[in-house]
């Protein structure tokens, strides 16, 4: 399982990469592995205002449907259209296949997210609980 | 309740399978990936560990023993070497289980049932059997490995002898495999040409491992099995059929006769005569979104039924499902919306099998 050091992670298994006020968001290797074969992603609406912790879109695997939450507040400025036709990119390269971008209204929210070490511990704990 | 391991458990762990509790058994849900495994079975050969299923043996006079009364389909006219699919019912015509009866000899049967219902089935069938017969639950000593896929006949013939090629659909053959008595049958639940090997449980792991040595063969887990059976429109007991569902409602009336006595026949006769208000139907969605168990079925905004199983079909590249809908609406092409209150999916009713290229019945 990979947890790149340069990223931050939410408790609900999204990863965030911040560049200035823009946050790029996807789901972690642990999340894609737990979901299994991903077959559909309903991308969020561009322009929507979101608050950290909001459910912003749906992801479906062969096994189940789940929500994706935004780890930061702001406005959704872009979505990864490639996932409409090839949602399996999230299985193949979870850290390249971002799902949406947020123009952050409060970049300090990044500080509340987990670093890779703490996130790896969380995943280990959740794996053990399964 | 303790979760049981099949004799093949260690092999699954070595193959890095993801395991899950299914009907009280530790079984692989997937090895490499559910979609890969389902597609492999449609084009090559897949192995399924079905050791959790139950088997009973019966020896005695079939006509005089009373065992005929346990089944809603005739068993005394099954030819030796042939199998028949059907049900045992409760007093109101609800399905206690779906099963396959094997006619081993004039006075000998093997009955193959679902894992979760094994104990209850054994008791229920036993109630109909008079003394003087031999009736045993042989589930613990019998392993079952399913070999499914269009290339399975070649593989099985190369491995166990050319006579395998003569086994007809819903037929079987007794053989000696690895020094043990075994039965090889041709029923299956994937829609593909396929075989089931019944063998002493102590030989199962070695047989499994040796079958996997062939490069055409891959193991497949419960996830792939669920996709394959749903694509064919086959029911999963406990999800799509249960003791509150009759074979008529399940649109499986073809497996039920009305000219013999058995438990539940009055309910069946009444339903055949008066019709049923709801019936099982298949659904294909207009997207890759899949309905799940419990989704409601809406037609013209009115709640008209409920989904019992759903998944993504990699061969149809869309969501598929089955469920019960008002009988008047159960026509292929009827437009419906499937919803859990949060997600709504456009779909239409489609004829079974949803996947139409299965090789199971190939000569």
């Amino acid at each position: 399982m990979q947890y790149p050091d340069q990223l931050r992670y939410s408790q609900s298994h999204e990863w965030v990469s911040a560049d200035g006020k823009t946050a790029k968001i996807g789901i972690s290797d642990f999340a894609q592995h737990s979901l299994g074969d991903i077959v559909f992603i309903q991308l969020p609406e561009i322009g929507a205002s979101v608050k950290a912790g909001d459910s912003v879109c749906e992801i479906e695997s062969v096994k189940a449907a789940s929500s994706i939450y935004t780890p930061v507040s702001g406005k959704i400025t872009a979505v990864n259209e490639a996932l409409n036709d090839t949602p399996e990119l999230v299985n193949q390269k979870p850290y390249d296949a971002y799902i949406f971008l947020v123009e952050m209204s409060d970049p300090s929210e990044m500080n509340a997210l987990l670093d890779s070490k703490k996130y790896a511990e969380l995943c280990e704990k959740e794996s053990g609980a399964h | 309740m303790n979760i049981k391991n099949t004799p093949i458990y260690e092999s699954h762990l070595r193959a890095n399978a993801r395991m899950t509790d299914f009907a009280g058994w530790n079984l692989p849900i997937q090895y490499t990936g559910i979609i890969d495994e389902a597609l492999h079975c449609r084009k090559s050969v897949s192995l399924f560990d079905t050791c959790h299923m139950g088997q009973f043996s019966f020896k005695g006079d079939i006509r005089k023993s009373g065992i005929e009364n346990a089944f809603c389909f005739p068993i005394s006219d099954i030819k030796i070497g042939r199998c028949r699919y059907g049900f045992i019912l409760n007093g109101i015509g609800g399905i206690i289980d779906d099963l396959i009866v094997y006619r081993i000899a004039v006075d000998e049967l093997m009955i193959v049932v679902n894992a979760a219902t094994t104990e209850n089935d054994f008791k229920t069938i036993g109630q109909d059997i008079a003394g003087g017969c031999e009736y045993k639950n042989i589930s613990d000593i019998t392993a079952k490995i399913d070999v499914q896929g269009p290339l399975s006949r070649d593989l099985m013939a190369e491995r166990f002898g050319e006579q395998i090629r003569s086994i007809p659909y819903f037929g079987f053959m007794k053989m000696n495999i690895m020094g043990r008595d075994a039965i090889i049958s041709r029923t299956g639940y994937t829609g593909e040409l396929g075989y089931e090997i019944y063998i002493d449980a102590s030989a199962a792991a070695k047989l499994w491992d040796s079958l996997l040595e062939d490069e055409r063969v891959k193991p497949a887990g419960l996830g792939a099995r669920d996709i394959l059976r749903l694509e064919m429109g086959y029911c999963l007991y406990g999800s799509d059929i249960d003791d509150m569902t009759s074979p008529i409602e399940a649109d499986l009336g073809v497996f039920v006769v009305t000219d013999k006595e058995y438990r539940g026949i009055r309910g069946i006769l009444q339903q055949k005569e008066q019709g049923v208000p709801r019936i099982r139907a298949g659904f294909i969605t207009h997207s890759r979104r899949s309905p799940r168990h419990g989704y409601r079925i809406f037609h013209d905004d009115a709640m008209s039924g409920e989904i019992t199983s759903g998944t993504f079909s990699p061969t149809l590249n869309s969501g598929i499902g089955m469920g019960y809908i008002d009988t008047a609406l159960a026509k292929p092409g009827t437009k419906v919306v499937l919803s859990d209150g949060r997600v709504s999916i456009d779909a239409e009713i489609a004829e079974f099998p949803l996947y139409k290229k299965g090789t199971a019945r190939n000569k």
Side-chain angles (χ1 to χ4, degrees):
Chain A
M1 213 66 72
Q2 295 183 328
Y3 313 103
D5 286 341
Q6 70 275 22
L7 303 177
R8 290 291 174 272
Y9 303 86
S10 67
Q11 303 264 356
S12 50
H13 303 290
E14 290 84 11
W15 58 260
V16 187
S17 155
D19 181 8
K21 284 187 85 176
T22 301
K24 193 183 262 189
I25 292 152
I27 66 164
S28 71
D29 195 14
F30 177 84
Q32 71 79 17
H33 189 258
S34 306
L35 285 167
D37 292 333
I38 292 165
V39 295
F40 178 82
I41 301 175
Q42 186 184 42
L43 295 167
E45 198 186 322
I46 294 173
S49 291
V50 293
K51 267 194 208 157
D54 282 355
S55 162
V56 295
C57 61
E58 293 284 320
I59 187 162
E60 290 190 14
S61 71
V62 171
K63 289 189 282 185
S66 347
S67 294
I68 296 175
Y69 302 89
T70 175
V72 291
S73 308
K75 189 192 270 188
I76 292 177
T77 54
V79 297
N80 187 354
E81 303 279 358
L83 300 179
N84 282 327
D85 293 330
T86 45
E88 61 271 24
L89 288 173
V90 173
N91 288 123
Q92 292 158 2
K93 293 186 171 177
Y95 298 113
D96 289 343
Y98 78 95
I99 297 171
F100 56 96
L101 302 184
V102 173
E103 188 71 31
M104 290 187 281
S105 54
D106 179 7
S108 72
E109 284 176 343
M110 287 292 290
N111 300 329
L113 298 173
L114 304 172
D115 63 22
S116 63
K117 189 165 171 276
K118 285 209 172 105
Y119 181 64
E121 284 168 10
L122 172 77
C123 294
E124 208 168 299
K125 206 169 142 193
E126 289 195 9
S127 301
H130 284 173
Chain B
M1 193 174 78
N2 286 337
I3 298 182
K4 294 197 232 172
N5 293 333
T6 74
I8 304 166
Y9 176 73
E10 296 293 335
S11 300
H12 299 323
L13 296 189
R14 280 198 301 276
N16 290 322
R18 282 197 216 175
M19 306 298 285
T20 191
D21 174 2
F22 179 81
W25 291 82
N26 236 330
L27 286 169
I29 190 156
Q30 69 172 74
Y31 300 84
T32 51
I34 292 173
I35 289 179
D36 267 358
E37 291 163 30
L39 291 173
H40 185 80
C41 183
R42 291 263 178 254
K43 62 173 197 264
S44 188
V45 187
S46 295
L47 283 195
F48 297 84
D49 175 1
T50 50
C51 292
H52 59 300
M53 294 184 74
Q55 293 85 22
F56 312 143
S57 75
F58 169 86
K59 280 184 192 167
D61 187 316
I62 290 168
R63 287 177 193 277
K64 290 181 185 159
S65 67
I67 192 171
E68 181 80 72
N69 293 337
F71 306 96
C72 67
F73 55 105
I75 54 167
S76 51
D77 68 351
I78 303 173
K79 290 184 180 146
I80 295 167
R82 301 304 289 258
C83 327
R84 192 168 284 169
Y85 173 84
F87 309 97
I88 46 174
L89 305 180
N90 58 24
I92 56 167
I95 300 170
I96 288 178
D97 204 7
D98 62 336
L99 42 77
I100 296 179
V101 176
Y102 286 59
R103 187 81 181 259
I104 309 274
V106 173
D107 59 351
E108 188 179 351
L109 304 171
M110 179 170 75
I111 302 156
V112 181
V113 302
N114 283 301
T117 49
T118 300
E119 242 171 76
N120 188 44
D121 290 351
F122 186 66
K123 222 184 295 168
T124 307
I125 296 168
Q127 286 166 7
D128 288 306
I129 301 175
C133 302
E134 189 186 302
Y135 175 55
K136 286 191 292 195
N137 184 344
I138 54 167
S139 307
D140 287 347
I141 55 167
T142 309
K144 179 170 178 272
I145 294 172
D146 292 2
V147 186
Q148 299 275 305
L151 306 185
S152 60
R153 181 183 279 148
D154 291 342
L155 174 94
M156 293 289 286
E158 288 162 24
R159 188 65 206 269
F160 303 116
E162 285 297 309
Q163 68 272 35
I164 294 282
R165 295 188 189 277
S166 65
I167 301 176
Y169 188 52
F170 268 73
F172 67 91
M173 192 175 266
K174 279 183 161 181
M175 295 197 77
N176 187 285
I177 293 178
M178 297 181 351
R180 315 294 176 97
D181 287 334
I183 287 175
I184 295 181
S185 63
R186 204 187 131 193
T187 62
Y189 221 59
T190 61
E192 298 302 334
L193 183 61
Y195 300 84
E196 301 77 46
I197 306 172
Y198 297 89
I199 194 165
D200 190 282
S202 61
K206 201 172 160 196
L207 176 60
W208 175 273
D209 291 342
S210 70
L211 286 165
L212 280 178
E213 284 168 12
D214 190 294
E215 59 180 17
R216 290 167 289 188
V217 182
K218 282 185 180 177
L222 291 169
R225 188 168 137 100
D226 199 49
I227 288 177
L228 295 160
R229 67 99 192 164
L230 252 165
E231 286 181 338
M232 293 307 295
Y234 297 152
C235 293
L236 176 66
Y237 191 83
S239 290
D240 308 305
I241 47 175
D242 57 27
D243 57 4
M244 297 301 288
T245 316
S246 82
I248 310 300
E249 291 171 303
D251 199 19
L252 297 168
V254 67
F255 299 106
V256 177
V257 298
T258 51
D259 58 356
K260 74 168 205 180
E261 269 301 315
Y262 54 88
R263 203 178 307 104
I265 187 162
R266 264 157 290 285
I268 295 294
L269 287 171
Q270 196 182 3
Q271 289 188 343
K272 280 213 168 185
E273 199 181 296
Q274 297 174 2
V276 287
R278 58 167 202 160
I279 197 155
R280 185 175 64 99
F283 301 86
I284 295 183
T285 70
H286 295 154
S287 67
R288 291 168 66 98
R289 298 204 92 163
S290 310
R292 314 278 169 179
H293 177 89
Y295 273 45
R296 304 279 173 89
I297 305 164
F298 292 89
H299 176 71
D300 285 345
D301 295 331
M303 221 281 273
S304 308
E306 195 168 317
I307 292 290
T308 50
S309 293
T311 191
F312 172 74
S313 161
T315 51
L316 301 173
N317 199 33
S318 67
I320 57 170
M322 65 170 79
Y324 288 84
I325 188 164
D326 295 348
T327 307
L329 298 172
K331 293 183 195 80
T334 302
K335 303 268 188 281
V336 291
V337 174
L338 312 175
S339 176
D340 67 346
R342 201 171 54 109
V343 171
S344 290
I345 309 170
D346 290 331
E348 67 180 62
I349 295 181
E351 224 167 60
F352 292 128
L354 303 174
Y355 173 72
K356 303 197 190 304
K357 295 178 188 163
T359 54
R361 289 167 189 267
N362 283 9
K363 295 278 180 209

